[in-house]
Amino acid sequence: VGIDPKEITPRADLRDDLGLSLPDIANLLTNLQEPFHLVIPKEQVKSLILDMTTVEDIVTFVEDELVMS
């Protein structure tokens, strides 16, 4: 996506600050599954991409999923 790593902060807005589109966010969530051993059903990805607005939202989601597994 070509994002300057300095721009990636917990409060950075995925769309406004980082310029990610909804498909970019869906792809990001999909790519997080393997390294973190997560299973995110497609239906859940669809709702998550609308609910997640910041980098912190994604981090919190992954942390919560790891705790639950």
Side-chain angles (χ1 to χ4, degrees):
V1 176
I3 299 171
D4 182 350
K6 293 177 186 174
E7 294 179 32
I8 303 173
T9 65
R11 294 182 191 221
D13 187 280
L14 299 171
R15 293 171 196 87
D16 295 338
D17 297 331
L18 303 179
L20 297 179
S21 65
L22 294 179
D24 291 333
I25 298 168
N27 190 37
L28 174 62
L29 289 171
T30 301
N31 287 327
L32 288 173
Q33 291 184 87
E34 188 175 326
F36 290 103
H37 307 286
L38 303 176
V39 176
I40 308 171
K42 284 187 178 185
E43 304 80 40
Q44 188 179 9
V45 170
K46 290 177 183 178
S47 67
L48 287 172
I49 62 173
L50 298 174
D51 293 340
M52 294 187 170
T53 58
T54 65
V55 171
E56 186 172 36
D57 291 338
I58 292 177
V59 171
T60 299
F61 171 76
V62 170
E63 289 174 341
D64 290 348
E65 290 294 309
L66 290 173
V67 168
M68 291 175 25
S69 61

